[in-house]
Amino acid sequence: MTTSSTNTMAAPAASTTITNIASLVTNDPSLGDGTPIGLIQDAAVVIDGDRVVWVGESSKAPATDNAVDAGGRAVIPGFVDSHSHLVFAGDRTQEFNARMSGRAYSAGGIRTTVAATRAATDAELSANVARYLAEALRQGTTTAETKSGYGLTVEDEARSLRIAREHTDEVTYLGAHVVPAEYADDPAGYVGLVTGQMLDACAPHARWIDVFCEKGAFDGDQARAILTAGRARGLRPRVHANQLTHGPGVRLAVELDAASADHCTHLTDADVDALAHSDTVATLLPGAEFSTRAAWPDARRLLDAGATVALSTDCNPGSSFTSSMPFCIALAVRDMGMTPDEAVWSATAGGAAALRRQDIGRLTPGARADLALLDAPSHVHLAYRPGVPLVSAVWRRGERVH
């Protein structure tokens, strides 16, 4: 029997319509109700390969190879978690327990995780990253950024980034997390390492460079030197800014055109104005405030000023050990002055903006087919029913993965 040459070629990807969607969040204000989330009622989405090729009213959906009945439930873009710290080992349960019993959070707790991470094998670290990304995926997160920062040696930072890169394209070099104990008496020497040999080893494995600009970590001059060195090596800046105190982090982020200033808890009017007149996204991380009993960031103040706001988990073993974007949405609505629409936008399109991505965080023709089906008729239920596992199905790059 002869075999046609066409049989050796890959079959074309099947097209799929998800129909009977009660409400569809597109994040395109030209669609649906004309709001920033572009809400379409009684909607359908058509996926071809890894892309969205059509959205609109369900009755007008074109024919496709396959159909999925959403059963009158809501569909939203996959969450974009633009700030997490997943390359770590060890456990800080005792620290959390003590903090909930009255001890204040400080940056020094990071060093506990550094010791455990240095002692872990590559396989152990990789398994941890895979575990928490899978946990996030089940809750609707289809894109996640993650950082190094728990190695703080040339070897451990480089291997952290290599491991992270095996799991996500959004990888951030955070050698400037804190000054490790061995450099306690020579912080300038550590900054030299971060901007020199460590940067040389880490730059090939990362897209971003970050710094914890905070009392107890790195001051404004140190942070500027670190971010400038990274930018010269092709890494794009982002900043841990103004989490614990007022400081120079936000304005430094704007000065250097950082993609995001993350935390933004303690802001002056000048900080807010700088963010509102820049392309730097204010990424708010309510899990950190929840887990440290700190003051909530004022999302309403930022939004009213015209700043772009993202929501992310800050998933890490010390100050925000959650991978749940729905939980962060509920906190943002309850305690940070956001509406449900704003919170969902910030957890999807806002996260994409913080990663300077146009292909994710929205459901419009040409976007990557990353979406979540909720066991609810509306996206508002993410805040209305906090703690309930509402994500019933997830598609990533056009394939159902949960």
Side-chain angles (χ1 to χ4, degrees), residues 38-115:
L39 193 68
I40 303 175
Q41 305 288 348
D42 189 17
V45 175
V46 176
I47 300 169
D48 195 351
D50 66 350
R51 297 285 152 174
V52 173
V53 296
W54 187 91
V55 297
E57 295 177 11
S58 196
S59 62
K60 299 176 181 178
T64 54
D65 300 316
N66 302 305
V68 175
D69 187 344
R73 292 174 288 177
V75 168
I76 63 171
F79 296 123
V80 180
D81 189 350
S82 61
H83 184 127
S84 72
H85 303 252
L86 303 182
V87 188
F88 70 88
D91 180 90
R92 285 159 68 180
T93 302
Q94 291 182 348
E95 176 189 321
F96 175 81
N97 191 35
R99 187 165 66 242
M100 292 300 101
S101 302
R103 190 174 78 202
Y105 170 67
S106 70
I110 293 167
R111 295 186 180 94
T112 303
T113 301
V114 169

Side-chain angles (χ1 to χ4, degrees), residues 213-216 241-249 264-267 271:
C213 184
E214 185 63 66
K215 183 179 180 181
N242 302 52
Q243 177 186 5
L244 306 177
T245 58
H246 290 93
C264 293
T265 308
H266 299 276
L267 302 179
D271 294 329

Side-chain angles (χ1 to χ4, degrees), residues 51-376:
R51 297 285 152 174
V52 173
V53 296
W54 187 91
V55 297
E57 295 177 11
S58 196
S59 62
K60 299 176 181 178
T64 54
D65 300 316
N66 302 305
V68 175
D69 187 344
R73 292 174 288 177
V75 168
I76 63 171
F79 296 123
V80 180
D81 189 350
S82 61
H83 184 127
S84 72
H85 303 252
L86 303 182
V87 188
F88 70 88
D91 180 90
R92 285 159 68 180
T93 302
Q94 291 182 348
E95 176 189 321
F96 175 81
N97 191 35
R99 187 165 66 242
M100 292 300 101
S101 302
R103 190 174 78 202
Y105 170 67
S106 70
I110 293 167
R111 295 186 180 94
T112 303
T113 301
V114 169
T117 302
R118 289 177 177 179
T121 66
D122 287 10
E124 289 168 337
L125 294 177
S126 184
N128 252 6
V129 176
R131 171 189 175 189
Y132 295 118
L133 286 177
E135 183 179 274
L137 183 65
R138 292 193 297 271
Q139 299 172 89
T141 298
T142 51
T143 301
E145 178 270 2
T146 199
K147 309 175 192 295
S148 65
Y150 292 127
L152 309 186
T153 67
V154 172
E155 178 183 356
D156 286 308
E157 285 295 293
R159 76 173 178 133
S160 293
L161 293 169
R162 286 196 302 269
I163 289 165
R165 194 62 180 267
E166 295 171 359
H167 300 277
T168 179
D169 293 334
E170 298 294 349
V171 177
T172 301
Y173 166 45
L174 184 59
H177 203 178
V178 294
V179 176
E182 59 269 28
Y183 279 89
D185 297 326
D186 185 20
Y190 186 66
V191 172
L193 182 68
V194 169
T195 57
Q197 185 183 359
M198 188 183 288
L199 177 60
D200 291 340
C202 290
H205 308 294
R207 182 182 181 209
W208 306 98
I209 184 167
D210 198 346
V211 60
F212 191 5
C213 184
E214 185 63 66
K215 183 179 180 181
F218 299 89
D219 65 25
D221 290 339
Q222 293 169 328
R224 180 181 286 103
I226 290 163
L227 296 171
T228 301
R231 194 168 60 176
R233 291 296 304 272
L235 302 181
R236 304 177 187 188
R238 45 200 329 113
V239 185
H240 281 62
N242 302 52
Q243 177 186 5
L244 306 177
T245 58
H246 290 93
V250 162
R251 276 170 284 175
L252 178 62
V254 171
E255 173 193 327
L256 297 180
D257 189 31
S260 65
D262 297 29
H263 288 289
C264 293
T265 308
H266 299 276
L267 302 179
T268 65
D269 289 344
D271 294 329
V272 174
D273 186 67
L275 288 165
H277 291 90
S278 76
D279 293 327
T280 298
V281 174
T283 300
L284 307 184
L285 310 168
E289 280 70 39
F290 177 87
S291 296
T292 61
R293 288 181 174 159
W296 298 102
D298 189 346
R300 184 80 269 136
R301 181 185 181 196
L302 287 161
L303 291 164
D304 288 348
T308 301
V309 174
L311 284 177
S312 292
T313 64
D314 192 19
C315 185
N316 75 82
S319 60
S320 182
F321 203 7
T322 180
S323 60
S324 175
M325 291 289 276
F327 174 64
C328 292
I329 287 171
L331 292 179
V333 172
R334 168 64 176 81
D335 292 304
M336 291 162 47
M338 300 184 90
T339 68
D341 284 10
E342 289 167 339
V344 170
W345 188 96
S346 294
T348 52
L355 295 174
R356 297 204 165 162
R357 297 274 297 270
Q358 297 291 326
D359 60 325
I360 56 177
R362 59 192 179 93
L363 292 175
T364 57
R368 207 169 76 178
D370 294 352
L371 54 108
L373 175 66
L374 305 181
D375 191 14

